[in-house]
Amino acid sequence: MKNESLWFATAQLPAFPPLTADVEADVVVVGGGITGLTATLLLARAGQRVILVEARRLGSGVTGGSTVHLTEAVDTRYQQIEKDFGKEGATLVAQSSRAAIEQVSALVQAHGIACDFTRRPGFLYTDRPQDVGEVDKEHAAAARAGLAVELLERAPLPFPTLGALHFPDQAQMHGLRYLEGLAQAAQAQGARLHEESRVVTIDDGDRCTVHLEHGPTVRAKKVFVATHAPLNRVFLQTKIHAYRSYVLALPLPRSALADALFWDTADPYHYFSSFAVDGASYLILGGEDHKTGTETDTAPRYETLAAWAKERFGAGEPAFRWSAQVEEPVDGLPYIGRNSVSDNVYVATGFSGNGITFGTVAARIITDLVTGKNNPWADLYSATRIKPLASAAEFTTENVDFPMHFFSDRLRPAEAKEPKDIGPGEGKTMRVNGERLACYRDPQGLLHAVSSVCTHLGCLVKFNGAEKSWDCPCHGSRFGVDGEVLDGPATRPLAKKHVR
Ligand SMILES: Cc1cc2nc3c(=O)[nH]c(=O)nc-3n(C[C@H](O)[C@H](O)[C@H](O)COP(=O)(O)OP(=O)(O)OC[C@H]3O[C@@H](n4cnc5c(N)ncnc54)[C@H](O)[C@@H]3O)c2cc1C
Ligand code: FES
């Protein structure tokens, strides 16, 4: 079994050089996932001089860890969206999701992108008696939002189900082969792409300046921060919350599962589909979400998923396993548009498990805002909106976590007293000269020590056993065992330390 995503193992994205000198552009796009690359292409097609800067490799963020369902069946139920944003809001969510599926389809065709984009039905189903009524209500709300949904007595699955909502004409594709096509098309339209170019600060103004970690700057009229977790240090962070979600790709004959997308009503829910890559077909199953930085023993999450797949499909050993980050918005919809307190900096975040479509919607909205066009969805998703009623409960629950972790985690004793308490493959905190360090011993016995203080706003990181990373429970930043940033909002690595 490989500890990497199926998409990474089977795509060959071209490499782009780091930015080495100061440059100017009309728009800087920060982040080379689906949101940033789609925006880069759309902006370049609209005649803008665009530079994209990516901290690592294109696709190395959440897009490379997605399950890539393109769907109108968004995570926040239509009944909830209708309650919080009105029937008009629910209709706009339905319309923008449909437009995103069609936008991807159009780009695939226009640029000849070989990513196996395929139309498929989707089924929201339940096997829990207490959720049957919820599926019925979701049918009614989705229909009022204008979707062509249909209520069925059961889902087309090889195990009993108690009701299903059929969303026709959804889609799926190879996520990273799609990004590869977007990158090539954007470059052909004149955009410049740079990898290994991490942004550390952005100065807003009539002309913005974007500062890279290794020195160069980019000056531009507009900046689009498409980094999934935005680099905005505080305000937007209070409106989104990071969760880890786990995925397995298990070899499965095509006949064992219908060519469709599925979501159940468990909490956390399972999402799955079959997909064939280079002739080998897989069950791709995701779920077991939990708040980032709150668990050390994460490997059992994969085991639980594998047992679920075995029981229902007779699936054997997984071929690939991976995990990635979901940003949940407090009021249920993504935040897309001008960043608060900025004139020329735009953001897009809070996509839940729908960022393949919402990232595409975001690219369309930001392109329209930058080029001065009206966009029918811009107000609904505005990044500066405040929905007190919709977000109050989530906002309060999630935001007590920051002060709680900040203070109480410091009172906890360190997990190891001395280096010999840390075995190969283990990560523990340890006090050295009064300072709490995050220490990991690799399989060869070498100890890797870094500061345990998160470089975002100072909470203490926690070891993630399955992924061998240091995760922050406050806003979801993640760091490698040598301190390098894996997930934002942090932009700076954990300081390296020396332990004798
Ligand atoms: C397990 C899982 C399954 C999912 N399945 C689905 C699904 O089936 N359908 C769906 O619609 N959505 C799904 N999602 C959500 C979706 O995959 C994401 O919301 C989407 O891929 C986000 O794309 P993005 O481009 O905004 O972010 P990313 O893909 O994370 O791209 C952001 C990029 O910014 C770069 N970056 C970060 N900081 C900096 C910096 N300081 N300087 C420069 N670059 C920086 C990162 O390296 C990264 O490459 C899933 C999410 C998870 C975790
Ligand atoms: S992510 Fe905000 S303090 Fe760590």
Side-chain angles (χ1 to χ4, degrees):
M1 181 181 51
K2 291 191 176 153
N3 277 312
E4 65 173 337
S5 90
L6 170 62
W7 319 122
F8 269 115
T10 55
Q12 285 178 328
L13 274 88
F16 295 91
L19 185 64
T20 49
D22 295 353
V23 276
E24 302 227 345
D26 295 329
V27 188
V28 188
V29 175
V30 185
I34 191 163
T35 309
L37 272 167
T38 311
T40 300
L41 175 56
L42 296 183
L43 285 160
R45 288 187 358 166
Q48 299 286 313
R49 284 179 310 143
V50 193
I51 292 189
L52 180 146
V53 279
E54 159 58 47
R56 293 176 288 167
R57 298 290 319 276
L58 298 181
S60 61
V62 186
T63 305
S66 180
T67 45
V68 204
H69 297 183
L70 291 104
T71 177
E72 299 160 309
V74 290
D75 282 4
T76 306
R77 300 260 190 267
Y78 281 97
Q79 28 189 320
Q80 191 63 43
I81 299 172
E82 193 180 61
K83 200 163 137 226
D84 294 333
F85 294 84
K87 181 164 173 288
E88 196 193 339
T91 305
L92 289 173
V93 171
Q95 286 173 356
S96 57
S97 302
R98 169 52 48 194
I101 298 173
E102 300 311 327
Q103 171 82 82
V104 171
S105 167
L107 290 176
V108 165
Q109 278 184 22
H111 298 284
I113 301 177
C115 62
D116 293 325
F117 175 88
T118 318
R119 304 271 178 174
R120 300 193 146 180
F123 297 91
L124 169 68
Y125 75 90
T126 190
D127 51 6
R128 310 196 309 174
Q130 69 270 31
D131 290 342
V132 172
E134 187 193 325
V135 175
D136 290 352
K137 282 193 212 146
E138 189 59 4
H139 171 232
R144 283 195 297 276
L147 293 179
V149 281
E150 180 194 12
L151 198 58
L152 306 177
E153 281 181 8
R154 60 184 306 274
L157 284 166
F159 52 86
T161 55
L162 296 172
L165 187 54
H166 169 208
F167 293 78
D169 201 22
Q170 313 297 291
Q172 201 179 11
M173 62 185 173
H174 189 302
L176 288 188
R177 288 182 185 168
Y178 178 62
L179 288 201
E180 182 184 339
L182 289 182
Q184 279 162 348
Q187 202 178 31
Q189 294 284 334
R192 285 179 58 178
L193 310 182
H194 294 283
E195 296 179 315
E196 307 296 343
S197 301
R198 181 175 293 278
V199 170
V200 281
T201 45
I202 298 168
D203 300 332
D204 185 33
D206 285 343
R207 269 196 102 64
C208 305
T209 308
V210 172
H211 300 263
L212 300 189
E213 190 175 32
H214 59 281
T217 59
V218 192
R219 281 170 59 78
K221 289 182 220 149
K222 309 277 182 191
V223 180
F224 177 28
V225 181
T227 50
H228 195 238
L231 308 181
N232 166 325
R233 274 174 68 84
V234 185
F235 186 62
L236 206 47
Q237 293 304 334
T238 63
K239 303 206 271 184
I240 50 170
H241 302 286
Y243 286 75
R244 298 302 291 165
S245 192
Y246 297 81
V247 184
L248 299 178
L250 308 106
L252 197 73
R254 286 205 82 150
S255 56
L257 178 61
D259 285 342
L261 315 176
F262 296 92
W263 312 275
D264 71 11
T265 59
D267 185 16
Y269 73 100
H270 300 94
Y271 45 99
F272 56 96
S273 57
S274 65
F275 197 78
V277 180
D278 302 332
S281 86
Y282 299 92
L283 163 65
I284 302 177
L285 166 66
E288 287 296 309
D289 305 16
H290 65 80
K291 203 162 178 209
T292 302
T294 56
E295 290 195 25
T296 295
D297 193 13
T298 44
R301 301 279 170 168
Y302 292 118
E303 289 154 24
T304 309
L305 278 181
W308 194 92
K310 185 170 186 188
E311 189 185 321
R312 283 162 180 79
F313 298 100
E317 277 297 295
F320 300 89
R321 71 175 203 183
W322 67 93
S323 170
Q325 198 107 311
V326 177
E327 295 289 350
E328 294 290 354
V330 286
D331 68 7
L333 291 185
Y335 297 98
I336 303 167
R338 194 177 51 75
N339 191 24
S340 57
V341 308
S342 304
D343 290 327
N344 291 308
V345 179
Y346 299 86
V347 290
T349 188
F351 295 146
S352 301
N354 308 117
I356 299 299
T357 40
F358 280 145
T360 306
V361 170
R364 182 74 267 162
I365 292 176
I366 301 301
T367 302
D368 286 349
L369 293 179
V370 165
T371 56
K373 279 196 192 151
N374 278 336
N375 182 288
W377 316 304
D379 286 346
L380 175 74
Y381 295 120
S382 162
T384 52
R385 73 174 182 269
I386 296 177
K387 278 267 160 195
L389 286 180
S391 53
E394 279 289 300
F395 183 87
T396 313
T397 318
E398 297 282 4
N399 283 298
V400 293
D401 277 6
F402 173 46
M404 195 267 286
H405 282 296
F406 189 90
F407 293 110
S408 67
D409 286 0
R410 284 178 158 73
L411 302 177
R412 293 219 179 100
E415 292 152 336
K417 283 206 167 58
E418 44 189 330
K420 73 173 170 46
D421 298 340
I422 306 171
E426 284 181 347
K428 291 183 180 171
T429 55
M430 185 171 70
R431 234 170 230 296
V432 179
N433 298 332
E435 192 181 3
R436 188 190 294 255
L437 305 187
C439 302
Y440 167 73
R441 191 179 296 286
D442 67 26
Q444 288 71 40
L446 200 67
L447 201 68
H448 302 245
V450 290
S451 164
S452 66
V453 180
C454 174
T455 55
H456 178 231
L457 293 176
C459 290
L460 299 183
V461 294
K462 198 167 183 165
F463 192 62
N464 173 340
E467 297 179 75
K468 310 291 182 228
S469 61
W470 293 101
D471 298 0
C472 181
C474 286
H475 311 102
S477 291
R478 296 179 57 250
F479 305 87
V481 292
D482 290 316
E484 68 278 16
V485 179
L486 301 178
D487 279 295
T491 55
R492 308 236 179 223
L494 298 176
K496 278 198 183 174
K497 299 286 171 178
H498 182 67
V499 177
R500 285 169 68 91

